[in-house]
């Protein structure tokens, strides 16, 4: 008989009663807002910044209704002066509950929800019925006036984050009655509860990105189970151009193909310094693929791991192979390609359970980890959205699940072996599988915690650079247990053969980064540089603040595009933060509303950058059966770009700023001067994009107004600028610009034409000054990795 575990609420949580005395508790800034008759829980109030009120079942913010018809079993527990937990109670104990929180109407909302077991996408709407099942982040604004155009900058944003509570994981969803609901589930029928008082974290503020950041800081401190991105060690591969073998070879990856791919990239002038040897290198077997019989789609997910070593493609097994291109082993091969191609980092792929189908039970190389064949069971929430071939096949074939008591030993053995083979890190895939096999193993939250801790401990023990890329792990089970892992894939796969997913990929990563970017550096996945959407993907990664790697087939490269991303030494110009949608894009659908362009903002050390993309008309989101698709009637879409689209611009504007910005269009090669709060029009065709470098114009020596743009031949031009200083006296002014990246053209806005210019102490370097737009350009000599430009006025 299974033992039943029952969880009860904390003693501080109190059930919401709707009385007729109209007791109102306003939660204002600087006040705790707790009724004197209760110690640490109150009814009828949630937020701080906008002094919301919950009265007689109506939650209001600034006098605007957000939730109505709040049920009597709802519980509110204060956390800080600006946040609270919301939950509910039931008369029945079970392993899964769906509770109602109240009705949502007349708002602007953004949901990030899991449309597959592994992946999130965004959904925007105006009412509760627009909130999909498996929502993991909900951001909304209450309507300010008779229409949504009346929204003001001061209108507060309200954030709902479903969080783990004990052994239960929570998610949000709406129903046809426009009620917001939350679902809590343990993943194990034996682990039950009747009460979930702290299932949803709620906060409110006037700045959406500050709201996310501060909320995650509160939760980090409260739970202690995860860490924020800014506190984590960043793997070195993030700043170098990479190549992944997946879309080049799929599971047919082999040493000679890798050699050819690295060689062609190097010969073209964009050497890969980072390599991922993806699925196809491991020692596996598959009883569902029989030689001589037709291939069955999905049978590849039935493969299981025989041992932690490489397969025969990467290891000679007979003396007859001595003259072949097969290396003696993985170590010889990794050492060879590092030496021949200057690779700094070689990562290899493995699944969280070793392989797609886990470990092969009773195999000589795996039996010490006590693998047991388990058949995954998905939650009703996952089944309500989109089916996934990999998951369906794993349900059919089963997975050889590692004994949780042996999981650290498995990772320790595997990673120790890889380090002995000169491998520098790992990409760990299929991470969300744990929630489907948690029955009898303590439930999904506990099992995820156990595996995540073992994995991160092994990474820290064996790899010196926090060298892990997490993948297929976008559930909150994983996110809220990411203590050390610093990189996580932020979207479904890049599908080069599917033209309808190209724009979805870019939009999904940008929106998902609003949430994921507080915990990790979002990974944008690989792409083809020779493809109809290649520039679209390349520009997105240039503003994404992410690693940049392609998966080109050997010899199939577009070096014109690659050289806009990759410097001659193989490094990249990575922006400082996760690229996220601009504030005016948060509640629009850039894929399916037929009119909106997507803007993604970021900052460099000395300037900002905005990418703008036309995602309309190429495809549609999954799980949109109830959404009316707006047909794109125009071949072009128009929008506006402003320096104000870049958040936290004060970090780079500094003192001596005039309030104006120099804005450089990569596509048009033109420079404009614009006040920070002004905008300009942009028109783009389908799959077109542009990248605008926005640099603060500062006053030097009272009369010279100057703004460095950067390397004009790079998408993220401003990423090349490291520092700007001014020296001189009343008679002379020298502006010094330090940067990196050679064989390009440096550009800047200058109100006056300099008298002289030097580059790396070489005087009298030629420069050009375009008087009509004040564009100053200086040529950076080839084979120059770093440079110091001195402009004399």
């Amino acid at each position: 008989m299974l033992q039943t575990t029952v969880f009860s609420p904390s003693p501080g949580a109190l059930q919401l009663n709707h009385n007729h005395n109209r007791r109102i508790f306003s939660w204002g800034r600087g006040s705790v807002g707790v009724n004197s008759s209760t110690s640490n829980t109150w009814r009828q109030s949630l937020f701080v910044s906008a002094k919301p009120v919950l009265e007689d079942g109506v939650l209001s913010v600034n006098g605007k209704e957000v939730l109505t018809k709040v049920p009597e079993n709802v519980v509110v527990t204060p956390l800080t002066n600006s946040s609270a937990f919301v939950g509910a109670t039931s008369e029945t104990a079970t392993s899964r509950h769906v509770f109602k929180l109240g009705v949502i109407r007349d708002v602007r909302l953004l949901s990030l929800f899991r449309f597959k077991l592994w992946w999130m996408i965004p959904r925007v709407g105006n009412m509760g019925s627009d909130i999909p099942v498996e929502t993991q982040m909900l951001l909304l604004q209450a309507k300010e006036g008779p229409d949504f155009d009346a929204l003001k900058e001061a209108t507060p944003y309200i954030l709902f984050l479903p969080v783990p509570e004990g052994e239960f994981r929570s998610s949000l969803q709406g129903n046809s009655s426009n009620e917001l609901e939350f679902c809590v589930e343990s993943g194990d029928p034996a682990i039950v509860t009747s009460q979930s008082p702290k299932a949803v974290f709620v906060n409110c503020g006037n700045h959406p990105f500050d709201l996310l950041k501060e909320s995650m800081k509160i939760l980090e401190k409260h739970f202690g189970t995860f860490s924020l991105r800014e506190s984590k060690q960043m793997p070195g591969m993030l700043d170098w151009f990479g190549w992944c073998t997946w879309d080049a070879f799929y599971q047919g990856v082999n040493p000679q193909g890798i050699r050819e791919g690295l060689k062609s990239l190097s010969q073209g002038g964009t050497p890969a310094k980072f390599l991922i040897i993806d699925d196809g290198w491991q020692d596996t077997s598959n009883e569902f693929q029989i030689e001589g019989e037709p291939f069955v789609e999905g049978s590849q997910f039935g493969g299981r791991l025989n041992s932690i070593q490489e397969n025969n493609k990467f290891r000679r097994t007979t003396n007859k192979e001595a003259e072949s291109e097969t290396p003696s082993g993985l170590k010889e091969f990794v050492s060879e390609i590092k030496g021949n191609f200057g690779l700094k980092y070689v990562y290899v792929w493995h699944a969280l359970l070793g392989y797609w189908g886990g470990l092969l039970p009773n195999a000589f190389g795996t039996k010490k980890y006590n693998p047991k064949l388990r058949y995954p069971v998905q939650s009703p929430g996952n089944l309500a959205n989109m089916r996934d071939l990999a998951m369906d096949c794993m349900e059919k074939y089963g997975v050889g699940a590692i004994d949780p008591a042996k999981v650290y030993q498995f990772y320790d053995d595997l990673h120790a072996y890889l380090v002995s083979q000169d491998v520098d890190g790992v990409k760990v895939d299929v991470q969300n599988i744990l929630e489907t096999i948690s029955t009898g193993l303590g439930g999904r939250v506990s099992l995820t915690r156990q595996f995540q801790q073992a994995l991160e401990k092994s990474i820290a023990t064996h790899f010196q650079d926090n060298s892990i890329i997490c993948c297929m792990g976008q559930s909150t089970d994983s996110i809220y247990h990411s203590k050390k892992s610093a990189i996580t894939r932020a979207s479904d796969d890049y599908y080069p053969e599917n033209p309808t997913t190209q724009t979805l990929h870019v939009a999904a990563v940008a929106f998902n980064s609003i949430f994921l970017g507080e915990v990790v550096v979002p990974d944008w996945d690989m792409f083809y540089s020779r493809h109809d959407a290649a520039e679209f993907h390349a520009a997105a990664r240039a503003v994404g603040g992410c690693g940049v790697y392609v998966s080109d087939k050997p010899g199939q490269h577009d070096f014109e595009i690659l050289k806009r991303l990759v410097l001659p030494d193989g490094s990249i110009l990575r922006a400082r933060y996760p690229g996220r949608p601009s504030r005016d894009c948060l509640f629009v659908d850039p894929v399916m509303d037929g009119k909106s362009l997507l803007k993604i903002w970021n900052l460099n050390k000395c300037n900002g950058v905005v990418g703008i993309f036309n995602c309309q008309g190429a495809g549609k989101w999954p799980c949109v059966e109830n959404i009316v698709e707006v047909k794109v009637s125009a071949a072009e879409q128009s929008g506006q770009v402003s320096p104000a689209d870049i958040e936290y611009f004060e970090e780079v504007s500094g003192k001596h700023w005039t309030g104006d910005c120099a804005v450089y269009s990569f596509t048009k090669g033109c420079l404009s001067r614009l006040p920070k709060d002004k905008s300009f029009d942009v028109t783009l065709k389908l799959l077109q994009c542009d990248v605008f470098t926005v640099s603060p114009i500062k006053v030097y020596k009272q009369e010279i107004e100057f703004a460095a743009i950067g390397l004009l031949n790079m998408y993220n031009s401003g990423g090349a600028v490291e520092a700007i200083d001014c020296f001189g006296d009343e008679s002379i002014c020298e502006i010094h610009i330090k940067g990196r990246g050679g064989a390009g053209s440096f550009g800047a806005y200058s109100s006056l034409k300099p008298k002289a210019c030097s580059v790396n102490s070489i005087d009298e370097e030629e420069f050009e000054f375009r008087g009509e737009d004040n564009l100053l350009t200086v040529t950076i000599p080839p084979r120059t990795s770093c440079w110091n430009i001195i402009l004399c006025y």
Side-chain angles (χ1 to χ4, degrees):
M1 179 179 294
L2 292 174
Q3 182 178 358
T4 298
T5 306
V6 180
F7 291 88
S8 300
S10 61
L14 192 64
Q15 187 168 317
L16 179 65
N17 292 319
H18 294 266
N19 58 57
H20 299 288
N21 296 325
R22 299 177 60 82
R23 297 167 64 197
I24 303 171
F25 303 100
S26 178
W27 195 353
R29 183 177 297 277
S31 65
V32 178
V34 180
N35 183 299
S36 59
S37 63
T38 60
S39 60
N40 58 0
T41 299
W42 70 96
R43 308 157 173 64
Q44 317 292 33
S45 173
L46 288 180
F47 305 105
V48 63
S49 301
K51 296 183 179 179
V53 175
L54 181 56
E55 177 186 358
D56 293 336
V58 177
L59 171 67
S60 301
V61 178
N62 272 356
K64 309 300 182 293
E65 294 183 355
V66 178
L67 285 174
T68 62
K69 300 182 180 179
V70 178
E72 294 185 1
N73 66 329
V74 168
V75 177
V76 179
T77 306
L79 181 59
T80 70
N81 286 343
S82 65
S83 62
F85 286 118
V86 179
T89 62
S90 170
E91 296 180 354
T92 304
T94 183
S95 62
R96 185 176 187 269
H97 289 276
V98 176
F99 293 106
K100 296 178 180 180
L101 282 177
V103 174
I104 289 184
R105 288 194 182 95
D106 298 329
V107 298
R108 301 199 304 178
L109 64 83
L110 166 66
S111 298
L112 298 180
F113 74 102
R114 286 200 299 170
F115 78 103
K116 292 182 182 178
L117 178 76
W118 328 103
W119 310 118
M120 290 191 299
I121 55 175
R123 172 77 55 80
V124 296
N126 303 121
M127 61 190 69
S129 60
D130 295 325
I131 302 170
V133 173
E134 277 291 317
T135 287
Q136 300 191 128
M137 187 207 82
L138 176 63
L139 182 69
L140 59 84
Q141 274 187 309
K143 189 167 69 171
E144 181 70 24
D147 56 55
F148 290 106
D149 293 335
L151 279 168
K152 300 177 181 178
E153 185 175 347
T155 302
Y157 296 83
I158 300 109
L159 177 66
F160 292 81
L161 291 175
V163 294
E165 182 183 9
E167 300 308 313
F168 286 78
R169 179 256 187 185
S170 61
S171 60
L172 297 171
Q173 60 193 51
N175 63 27
S176 59
S177 299
N178 289 319
E179 293 170 308
L180 176 64
E181 302 174 334
F182 72 92
C183 172
V184 293
E185 53 195 335
S186 68
D188 187 337
I191 299 177
V192 301
T193 189
S194 62
Q195 317 206 31
S196 297
K198 298 181 179 181
V200 182
F201 171 86
V202 188
N203 205 355
C204 180
N206 292 331
H207 188 295
F209 302 105
D210 279 352
L211 176 60
L212 260 296
K213 179 180 292 291
E214 293 306 314
S215 295
M216 296 304 283
K217 284 183 178 179
I218 292 169
L219 293 176
E220 176 195 33
K221 182 178 180 180
H222 178 78
F223 288 121
T225 58
F226 72 99
S227 299
L228 300 181
R229 168 184 48 81
E230 58 197 26
S231 68
K232 295 178 177 179
Q233 179 185 1
M234 292 295 117
M237 45 69 56
L238 281 171
D239 294 311
W240 297 92
F241 174 58
W243 181 52
C244 177
T245 63
W246 179 245
D247 285 312
F249 309 106
Y250 299 110
Q251 291 173 323
V253 61
N254 61 84
Q256 185 56 24
I258 293 174
R259 296 183 186 106
E260 291 171 357
L262 292 171
K263 181 179 180 181
S264 61
L265 284 168
S266 182
Q267 289 178 339
T270 57
K273 298 297 180 179
F274 161 57
L275 171 69
I276 301 176
I277 303 177
D278 214 295
D279 186 5
W281 70 272
Q282 293 170 286
D283 177 19
T284 63
S285 58
N286 193 327
E287 63 182 296
F288 308 105
Q289 292 180 341
I290 301 174
E291 187 174 352
E293 293 189 4
F295 173 76
V296 177
E297 183 63 29
S299 62
Q300 66 268 32
F301 301 114
R304 310 195 200 284
L305 197 68
N306 297 325
S307 74
I308 61 174
Q309 296 184 332
E310 66 273 26
N311 60 34
N312 292 345
K313 291 185 292 184
F314 291 84
R315 183 182 66 233
R316 292 182 204 143
T317 58
T318 66
N319 293 331
K320 294 181 179 179
E321 295 179 289
E323 302 300 324
S324 72
E325 295 168 340
T326 303
S328 62
L330 185 60
K331 181 174 184 177
E332 178 192 284
F333 177 65
V334 172
S335 299
E336 171 201 329
I337 57 177
K338 283 184 175 180
N340 290 345
F341 302 106
L343 284 168
K344 292 178 176 291
Y345 305 96
V346 174
Y347 282 33
V348 298
W349 178 99
H350 71 78
L352 189 70
L353 297 180
Y355 201 63
W356 292 98
L359 307 187
L360 183 65
N362 299 317
F364 177 78
T366 61
K367 61 183 179 180
K368 69 176 180 177
Y369 311 115
N370 296 340
K372 179 181 178 181
L373 195 61
R374 291 178 173 269
Y375 291 86
V377 177
Q378 295 188 70
S379 71
N382 288 324
L383 294 174
N385 286 325
M386 188 174 177
R387 302 297 301 221
D388 177 74
L389 176 64
M391 189 68 254
D392 289 345
C393 292
M394 284 186 276
E395 285 181 334
K396 176 182 177 181
Y397 301 131
V399 295
I402 304 166
D403 183 346
K406 299 288 186 178
V407 64
Y408 177 72
Q409 182 183 359
F410 171 71
Y411 293 141
D412 184 58
D413 290 347
L414 172 60
H415 297 152
Y417 177 74
L418 292 175
V419 168
S420 75
Q421 304 301 297
D422 287 346
V423 170
D424 303 288
V426 288
K427 171 184 174 182
V428 182
D429 217 337
V430 206
Q431 296 203 8
N432 284 358
I433 188 64
L434 293 177
E435 69 183 69
T436 71
I437 58 170
S438 59
T439 295
L441 296 177
R444 56 188 292 173
V445 175
S446 175
L447 190 63
T448 299
R449 183 189 307 119
Q450 187 172 358
F451 272 70
Q452 188 73 19
Q453 289 175 349
L455 177 64
E456 292 188 337
K457 180 181 178 182
S458 179
I459 295 295
T461 299
H462 297 290
F463 300 113
Q464 304 304 310
D465 197 32
N466 196 20
S467 302
I468 178 173
I469 301 172
C470 297
C471 193
M472 299 176 78
Q474 285 188 11
S475 73
T476 47
D477 308 66
S478 297
I479 294 166
Y480 289 119
H481 289 99
S482 177
K483 192 73 173 177
K484 296 180 180 179
S485 303
I487 307 173
T488 294
R489 263 277 296 284
S491 74
D492 198 350
D493 288 9
Y494 166 72
Y495 296 109
E497 304 303 324
N498 189 343
T500 67
T501 62
Q502 306 306 311
T503 57
L504 274 62
H505 186 103
V506 169
V509 178
F511 278 93
N512 288 344
S513 295
I514 298 170
F515 176 39
L516 294 177
E518 298 301 329
V519 181
V520 294
V521 174
D523 176 71
W524 285 65
D525 201 12
M526 64 203 85
F527 69 102
Y528 277 169
S529 71
R530 185 181 290 184
H531 191 274
D532 291 342
E535 183 157 63
F536 203 78
H537 284 283
R541 285 152 180 79
V543 300
C546 56
V548 176
Y549 55 102
V550 295
S551 194
D552 296 345
K553 297 179 185 298
Q556 302 296 308
H557 316 289
D558 187 328
F559 287 109
E560 184 177 0
I561 287 176
L562 289 178
K563 288 180 180 179
R564 297 169 181 170
L565 282 172
V566 187
L567 297 173
D569 64 356
S571 64
I572 62 171
L573 302 178
R574 186 167 67 92
R576 289 168 56 191
Y577 299 126
R580 288 159 284 180
S582 60
R583 199 179 300 201
D584 58 350
C585 289
L586 290 177
F587 301 109
V588 302
D589 185 348
V591 172
M592 289 180 59
D593 71 6
K595 59 183 180 181
S596 301
L597 297 176
L598 172 64
K599 291 181 289 184
I600 303 173
W601 64 272
N602 215 321
L603 285 172
N604 297 304
K605 289 183 178 179
C606 300
N607 47 58
V609 61
V610 179
I612 185 166
F613 304 84
N614 184 358
C615 302
Q616 299 286 347
K620 66 178 184 179
W621 296 112
C623 307
V624 291
E625 292 78 10
N626 298 324
I627 295 180
V628 177
E629 183 178 3
V630 179
K631 292 186 177 180
V632 179
S633 57
E636 298 178 329
Q637 301 294 332
S638 296
Q640 292 187 321
V641 174
S642 170
D645 291 329
I646 302 172
E647 305 287 343
Y648 312 115
F649 196 71
E650 64 276 7
E651 294 183 14
V652 298
S653 59
K655 57 184 179 180
H656 308 306
W657 183 31
T658 64
D660 288 356
C661 296
V663 181
Y664 180 77
S665 164
F666 177 85
T667 300
K668 295 183 178 179
C670 63
L671 182 66
S672 304
R673 179 168 180 154
L674 198 69
K676 185 180 188 299
D677 58 349
K678 300 299 181 181
S679 61
F680 55 93
D681 294 328
V682 176
T683 300
L684 299 172
K685 296 180 181 179
L686 174 63
L687 282 176
Q688 279 190 341
C689 59
D690 202 352
V691 179
F692 296 94
T693 299
V694 181
S695 184
I697 298 175
K698 300 182 181 182
V699 178
Y700 297 91
K701 299 301 179 182
Q702 297 183 350
E703 62 177 10
I704 300 168
E705 296 184 349
F706 182 86
I709 300 299
L711 290 179
L712 304 184
N713 50 301
M714 306 296 287
Y715 289 122
N716 184 21
S717 305
V721 181
E722 299 282 335
I724 306 170
D725 294 300
C726 181
F727 303 93
D729 52 30
E730 295 181 356
S731 61
I732 189 172
C733 173
E734 288 187 355
I735 296 179
H736 294 225
I737 309 100
K738 293 182 179 180
R740 64 189 186 92
S745 179
F746 168 81
Y749 172 92
S750 180
S751 60
L752 299 175
K753 181 179 179 179
K755 295 179 180 179
C757 170
S758 69
V759 179
N760 290 346
S761 301
I762 300 177
D763 296 331
E764 299 183 2
E765 284 286 346
E766 293 186 2
F767 63 89
E768 295 183 5
F769 182 75
R770 202 163 68 190
E772 60 267 26
D773 60 0
N774 295 88
L775 177 63
L776 169 71
T777 56
V778 180
T779 300
I780 305 297
R783 294 179 294 280
T784 301
S785 58
C786 298
W787 37 266
N788 184 17
I789 297 173
I790 300 177
L791 301 172
C792 299
Y793 291 86

